[in-house]
């Protein structure tokens, strides 16, 4: 178990906190502030415990250069509103300079400052000096609370741990608790639902989950690679050629370890990748040569709903179809609804499945919605996340 801010004396100390304030922006305005509100428990705890709080984050991909459209100034303003107190914004094109150092030195207990986008510096994503050392000069304790970037070893997510005592914030603690408990100590039956388009990314996750779950449900774009592996024609559906062999191996592995690996039995197909395209429902062995699979079909939805209704733990990552197009969103919606109705512990991997649950209005019915798409996938894959492994053990 990793130490958290509860396990360390923060009073009067300058505490450097890595948050994930990578919020979506449109015309200079934040369109969704969930990542900011998710950081509040940690920030408030530090304020209440008289820490001098120095926040850091990245936003977007400025690629190592100062770019005004990626400035964290709007985040400082929003955070200030949410906290009901001033958040000093340390504007600097190089993130840390003399003025920023001075502001950090002069912080009083309970005060909060936010640094400029750490990705204004090219060293950040390479975890290189002199940036890590410059950040380190500002603080005495490092707190990582950015789950969304915990799978990356960057200056502000892992490098800082070499300089000072390092612990997790409450958001990382919560993510590790829910994802970790599901993997290591799930109430059974434990069902995983894996979907989305990027088959290559998810096959290693399926491989790890096969060691843990009772049933593994495959949905979405990756189904067609499995169909191909089963010898079916898939028309113009999305296919990951390189993963066909691995898909075969996974089906055999599942059999060998007694895990039920479930694939769709029917699929909604379209002529074009377009919401208004002509469509039809076909069994998985009858996909027409000139059509592509866009969603799971009604028989599959019924079959999966039954499995979900008996589960005690469900982890879901990846939509069941092209849910951004209303005509191909039924499968994803049905899964979100089945999870919302279920009594099980329901954990939603970040990214598209989190967006889908939100879009269909079921977010508050889930046990936990992860704030990190890539990070939660790597966690489910059983990989060590550098932004977490660098923190001190209890
Ligand atoms: P991923 O990033 O791998 O989780 O994939 C998410 C994307 O997969 C979403 O944008 C979906 O539109 C897409 N997707 C889901 N099912 C299909 C499908 N049958 N064909 C093409 N794309 C799909």
């Amino acid at each position: 178990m990793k130490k958290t801010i509860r396990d360390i004396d923060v009073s009067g100390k300058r505490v450097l906190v890595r948050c994930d304030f990578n919020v979506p922006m449109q015309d200079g305005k934040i369109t969704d502030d969930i990542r900011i509100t998710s950081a509040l428990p940690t920030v408030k705890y530090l304020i209440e415990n008289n820490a001098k709080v120095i926040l850091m984050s990245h936003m977007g991909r400025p690629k190592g250069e100062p770019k005004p459209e990626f400035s964290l100034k709007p985040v400082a303003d929003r955070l200030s509103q949410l906290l009901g107190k001033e958040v000093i914004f340390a504007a600097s094109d190089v993130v840390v300079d003399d003025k920023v150092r001075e502001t950090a030195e002069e912080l009083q207990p309970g005060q909060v400052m936010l640094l400029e986008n750490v990705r204004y510096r090219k060293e950040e994503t390479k975890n290189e000096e002199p940036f890590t050392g410059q950040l380190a000069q500002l603080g005495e304790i490092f707190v990582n609370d950015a789950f969304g970037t915990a799978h990356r070893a960057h200056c502000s997510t892992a490098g800082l741990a070499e300089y000072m005592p390092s612990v997790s914030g409450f958001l990382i603690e919560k993510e590790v608790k829910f994802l970790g408990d599901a993997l290591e100590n799930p109430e059974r039956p434990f069902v995983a639902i894996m979907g989305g388009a990027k088959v290559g990314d998810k096959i290693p996750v399926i491989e790890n989950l096969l060691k843990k779950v009772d049933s593994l449900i495959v949905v979405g774009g990756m189904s067609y690679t499995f169909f191909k592996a089963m010898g079916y024609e898939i028309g113009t559906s999305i296919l990951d050629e390189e993963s066909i062999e691995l898909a075969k191996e996974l089906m055999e592995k599942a059999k060998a370890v007694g895990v039920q690996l479930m694939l769709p039995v029917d699929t909604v197909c379209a002529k074009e990748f377009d919401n208004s395209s002509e469509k039809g429902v076909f069994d998985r062995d009858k996909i027409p040569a000139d059509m592509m699979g866009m969603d799971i079909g009604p028989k599959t939805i019924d079959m999966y709903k039954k499995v979900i209704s008996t589960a005690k733990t469900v982890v879901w990552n990846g939509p069941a179809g092209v849910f951004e197009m209303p005509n191909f969103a039924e499968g994803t919606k049905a899964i979100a609804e089945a999870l919302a109705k279920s009594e099980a512990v329901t954990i939603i991997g970040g990214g598209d499945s989190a967006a889908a649950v939100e879009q269909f209005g079921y977010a508050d019915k889930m046990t936990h919605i992860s704030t990190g798409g890539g990070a939660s996938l790597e966690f489910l894959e059983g990989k060590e996340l550098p932004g977490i492994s660098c923190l001190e053990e209890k």
Side-chain angles (χ1 to χ4, degrees):
M1 273 254 259
K2 295 295 179 184
K3 278 191 186 167
T4 76
I5 42 180
R6 269 188 232 98
D7 302 308
I8 194 163
D9 181 12
V10 296
S11 176
K13 304 259 173 55
R14 278 174 288 119
V15 182
L16 274 165
V17 191
R18 177 56 154 100
C19 298
D20 179 6
F21 291 147
N22 184 26
V23 290
M25 303 273 297
Q26 209 164 23
D27 305 323
K29 294 226 159 53
I30 298 167
T31 54
D32 180 356
D33 67 359
I34 183 141
R35 289 194 163 150
I36 306 179
T37 53
S38 302
L40 289 177
T42 294
V43 178
K44 283 187 176 162
Y45 176 92
L46 291 171
I47 294 171
E48 280 157 18
N49 285 274
N50 294 316
K52 302 168 180 177
V53 187
I54 305 170
L55 305 173
M56 315 172 273
S57 177
H58 79 287
M59 180 159 67
R61 295 196 171 137
K63 303 206 168 132
E65 280 171 38
K67 296 204 178 110
E69 65 271 32
F70 295 115
S71 170
L72 285 177
K73 174 76 171 60
V75 172
D77 295 342
R78 183 80 190 108
L79 188 59
S80 175
Q81 276 173 357
L82 290 165
L83 290 171
K85 69 181 290 165
E86 186 194 11
V87 172
I88 304 165
F89 182 60
S92 166
D93 280 357
V94 289
V95 188
V96 184
D97 59 20
D98 285 345
K99 184 148 177 280
V100 173
R101 266 188 286 273
E102 217 170 278
T103 313
E105 279 297 327
E106 285 169 6
L107 272 187
Q108 296 302 308
Q111 276 196 312
V112 183
M113 74 186 271
L114 171 64
L115 303 184
E116 184 51 284
N117 191 338
V118 285
R119 290 197 192 163
Y120 275 15
R121 291 288 293 264
K122 61 178 182 340
E123 304 100 307
E124 166 64 6
T125 53
K126 298 182 203 143
N127 195 13
E128 278 176 6
E129 297 295 353
F131 188 44
T132 317
Q134 291 171 354
L135 286 172
Q137 280 177 348
L138 302 177
E140 298 158 278
I141 294 171
F142 170 52
V143 174
N144 192 8
D145 209 23
F147 184 72
T149 46
H151 57 316
R152 305 278 181 238
H154 295 170
C155 300
S156 68
T157 64
L160 276 170
E162 285 173 27
Y163 283 85
M164 60 190 91
S166 303
V167 300
S168 83
F170 296 141
L171 182 60
I172 284 201
E173 181 191 34
K174 187 167 149 228
E175 294 273 6
V176 171
K177 179 181 161 17
F178 281 110
L179 292 167
D181 278 1
L183 285 186
E184 298 314 325
N185 204 11
E187 240 196 281
R188 293 185 181 276
F190 176 16
V191 175
I193 308 167
M194 296 301 295
K198 295 178 214 142
V199 192
D201 287 1
K202 304 219 174 151
I203 281 186
V205 183
I206 296 181
E207 209 160 15
N208 189 45
L209 287 176
L210 282 179
K211 297 180 218 147
K212 319 266 182 191
V213 299
D214 300 292
S215 304
L216 198 143
I217 291 178
V218 173
V219 291
M222 74 166 81
S223 316
Y224 306 94
T225 300
F226 281 92
F227 292 168
K228 194 83 185 170
M230 292 160 92
Y232 302 139
E233 285 313 318
I234 58 167
T236 54
S237 307
I238 187 168
L239 170 68
D240 182 352
E241 288 264 7
E242 284 171 15
S243 300
I244 298 175
E245 278 312 306
L246 200 54
K248 279 185 198 159
E249 281 169 33
L250 287 178
M251 288 189 280
E252 296 196 343
K253 215 175 256 177
K255 242 187 235 154
V257 294
V259 169
Q260 190 183 23
L261 177 68
M262 301 183 78
L263 292 158
V265 290
D266 60 349
T267 168
V268 180
C269 293
K271 286 248 156 98
E272 321 275 342
F273 193 77
D274 189 306
N275 187 48
S276 50
S277 171
E278 185 189 331
K279 63 173 188 170
V281 177
F282 300 91
D283 285 345
R284 66 183 178 196
D285 57 347
K286 296 195 177 59
I287 298 178
D290 62 345
M291 290 184 104
M292 62 182 85
M294 299 284 276
D295 195 6
I296 52 175
K299 283 193 251 180
T300 306
I301 291 178
D302 279 348
M303 178 174 90
Y304 286 174
K305 269 188 179 163
K306 283 194 190 109
V307 179
I308 293 168
S309 71
T310 61
K312 290 273 169 43
T313 306
V314 186
V315 170
W316 179 23
N317 188 298
V322 187
F323 76 106
E324 299 91 336
M325 299 182 191
N327 284 338
F328 306 105
E330 274 312 305
T332 305
K333 191 172 171 192
I335 287 184
E337 194 178 57
L339 259 62
K341 280 191 186 147
S342 141
E343 299 283 306
V345 171
T346 46
I347 297 171
I348 314 300
D352 282 314
S353 0
V357 164
E358 196 81 49
Q359 182 181 317
F360 300 127
Y362 296 121
D364 59 348
K365 299 274 194 309
M366 304 300 161
T367 312
H368 178 66
I369 301 180
S370 176
T371 51
S376 65
L377 264 187
E378 290 202 13
F379 199 103
L380 296 175
E381 200 179 324
K383 278 193 183 162
E384 244 191 31
L385 309 190
I388 297 177
S389 56
C390 69
L391 306 175
E392 288 172 21
E393 285 292 329
K394 270 197 193 183

